[in-house]
Amino acid sequence: MVKVIVGTQFGDEGKGRIIELFSKSADVVARYQGGANAGHTLIIDGNTVVFHLVPCGIIYPNTMCVIGNGVVIDPEALINELTNLEKYGFKAGKRFFISNSAHIVMPYHKSKDDITGKIGTTHKGIGPCYEDKYGRRGIRMIELLYPEFFKEKLKTLVSSVDFQPMYEQYCKYGEILAPYIADTTALMNKWIQEKKEVLLEGAQGLLLDIDHGTYPYVTSSNPHSGGACTGLGISPTCIDEVIGVVKAYTSRVGEGPMPTTMAPDIEEAIRSRGKEYGATTGRPRRCGWLDIVLLKRVLMTNGIKKIVLTKLDTLDEMSKIKICTKYVPEANFALPELMYKTQPVYEELDGWQTPISDIRDYKKLPAATKKYVEKISELLNVEIVAICIGPQKDATIFL
Ligand code: GDP
């Protein structure tokens, strides 16, 4: 079975814990796009462990972990992450694989990243690295295994002053990472043929997709479920299921349209309860009501038939909860200027105004919580497989 897990909004939906949850029964966990700008934070045995590039399947000792060709890799960040994971007892060993075709983030990518600050990137060089990929100037992991080719290419890309230290540094990274660099396309296809349980994890969110998100306020890759095929070299016919992670409200970091804005006092309450501050930058995220219009489009374009609903507990104190069911005038998703002008039309539901984080039985949830969950399922015409009602590992109820 091959499953893709994607964030359905603007990222920060709580994908990390869902991926961790599903990783438990997976033989293979693979990343297919993005770079060290993404991140999951997991609490493992009381330790906070941060994942940027390594799939969180690494915490299970028999799980194969893959970084696909669609990911851009900062070798320094990756080596630091592997070293850190080893400190907690998670060894990469012979079950960690990096695509030989994945592009490498270079120091000059970082210095060029989002100089105007408009897009709100994390300044990790991801965007400029993808620009070089599409400009056919990129350097790929395999080149680190062949320093003579790497040398000639790098000479054409950097000044003679920068060349030698950069060359030596990246050759060192290459030596450290060499045991993991592989033809991951061949491996993925072999495992799929062997009917392994395969989990493909998307980073960021579908509304940040370079093609299907709110361009230009988007990421540089395709979190889209189809990105899992191009980003790993597998066929669309291999994918059995796409599971969407939906946060019970909306949040967005950086600029770009988010029609379902809340009144400032409500927004502040949600931000503080949901700890909606950028993981890398600490910037406050904008928070809004759940947007069914955007979600319907995302579910349609990605083939999502099942969702996990996260952070319901963040709404615990609300007396009323709004859901946006349409826009007036109808939204034109392709132009942010038109998205900014559109007015959301809401349905209003009663809040539950009681803590739900300790409940583990769906039947025991307040009637208003169940009504909210069921309303979302009905409006989206989708199966909700689980709900998350707190940050604790076990605060998930399977439906
Ligand atoms: P990602 O960017 O989508 O991978 O998001 P993460 O997995 O890093 O989750 C973002 C934050 O949300 C983390 O601090 C989680 O602990 C927290 N979180 C996830 N699910 C829930 C939930 O159901 N309730 C609450 N209160 N926090 C949650």
Side-chain angles (χ1 to χ4, degrees), residues 107-251:
Y108 50 84
H109 292 137
K110 293 186 207 177
S111 54
K112 275 195 278 193
D113 198 349
D114 193 17
I115 303 163
T116 61
K118 272 239 158 224
I119 307 293
T121 78
T122 51
H123 302 276
K124 305 252 186 217
I126 313 295
C129 183
Y130 277 113
E131 278 177 42
D132 277 357
K133 170 175 176 172
Y134 292 107
R136 298 155 176 92
R137 296 177 293 273
I139 300 175
R140 310 207 287 179
M141 289 307 291
I142 192 157
E143 288 166 76
L144 297 185
L145 302 183
Y146 295 92
E148 65 276 25
F149 300 138
F150 174 50
K151 188 176 206 171
E152 291 314 308
K153 185 179 274 176
L154 191 63
K155 270 187 191 160
T156 66
L157 293 168
V158 295
S159 72
S160 51
V161 183
D162 292 337
F163 169 75
Q164 196 59 30
M166 203 182 290
Y167 173 68
E168 284 172 19
Q169 184 68 71
Y170 274 69
C171 283
K172 266 192 211 132
Y173 294 150
E175 279 168 29
I176 300 171
L177 295 175
Y180 310 117
I181 301 173
D183 178 359
T184 53
T185 297
L187 289 171
M188 289 299 298
N189 281 282
K190 174 175 157 294
W191 289 325
I192 291 170
Q193 264 181 5
E194 290 169 357
K195 305 267 181 252
K196 300 267 193 236
E197 283 296 320
V198 177
L199 191 68
L200 313 179
E201 59 167 284
Q204 289 98 23
L206 295 172
L207 291 167
L208 297 178
D209 186 278
I210 183 91
D211 286 281
H212 301 286
T214 53
Y215 190 89
Y217 305 101
V218 289
T219 197
S220 309
S221 59
N222 290 112
H224 190 278
S225 54
C229 298
T230 53
L232 287 160
I234 59 170
S235 157
T237 54
C238 299
I239 293 176
D240 296 294
E241 201 167 62
V242 186
I243 299 168
V245 182
V246 179
K247 184 153 66 179
Y249 51 95
T250 310
S251 72

Side-chain angles (χ1 to χ4, degrees), residues 12-17 39-41 310-311 313-314 388-391:
D12 310 309
E13 297 93 351
K15 291 178 295 298
R17 68 180 302 179
H40 313 304
T41 308
T310 61
K311 296 189 95 164
D313 56 301
T314 303
C388 298
I389 45 165

Side-chain angles (χ1 to χ4, degrees), residues 345-361:
V345 177
Y346 292 108
E347 275 190 34
E348 199 171 76
L349 276 70
D350 287 331
W352 44 93
Q353 295 190 282
T354 181
I356 57 170
S357 284
D358 292 330
I359 301 172
R360 295 290 175 270
D361 178 356

Side-chain angles (χ1 to χ4, degrees), residues 20-62:
E20 184 202 0
L21 203 70
F22 281 84
S23 293
K24 209 179 258 179
S25 52
D27 301 306
V28 181
V29 184
R31 269 280 303 271
Y32 60 84
Q33 46 76 227
N37 53 347
H40 313 304
T41 308
L42 300 183
I43 314 285
I44 303 164
D45 299 331
N47 300 307
T48 303
V49 188
V50 182
F51 292 78
H52 289 297
L53 282 161
V54 180
C56 56
I58 205 86
I59 66 173
Y60 301 108
N62 299 316

Side-chain angles (χ1 to χ4, degrees), residues 300-373:
M300 171 183 77
T301 50
N302 285 277
I304 298 168
K305 303 279 192 304
K306 292 181 178 176
I307 64 167
V308 177
L309 190 60
T310 61
K311 296 189 95 164
L312 264 174
D313 56 301
T314 303
L315 302 174
D316 278 359
E317 287 170 2
M318 296 292 120
S319 56
K320 295 281 177 197
I321 298 174
K322 292 186 188 183
I323 307 185
C324 167
T325 52
K326 65 175 185 180
Y327 292 162
V328 179
E330 222 170 86
N332 187 325
F333 298 101
L335 197 59
E337 286 75 5
L338 297 177
M339 286 279 283
Y340 283 127
K341 284 194 181 137
T342 197
Q343 287 299 319
V345 177
Y346 292 108
E347 275 190 34
E348 199 171 76
L349 276 70
D350 287 331
W352 44 93
Q353 295 190 282
T354 181
I356 57 170
S357 284
D358 292 330
I359 301 172
R360 295 290 175 270
D361 178 356
Y362 184 75
K363 288 194 233 70
K364 293 194 177 138
L365 284 169
T369 316
K370 287 186 278 194
K371 189 150 184 211
Y372 185 57
V373 173

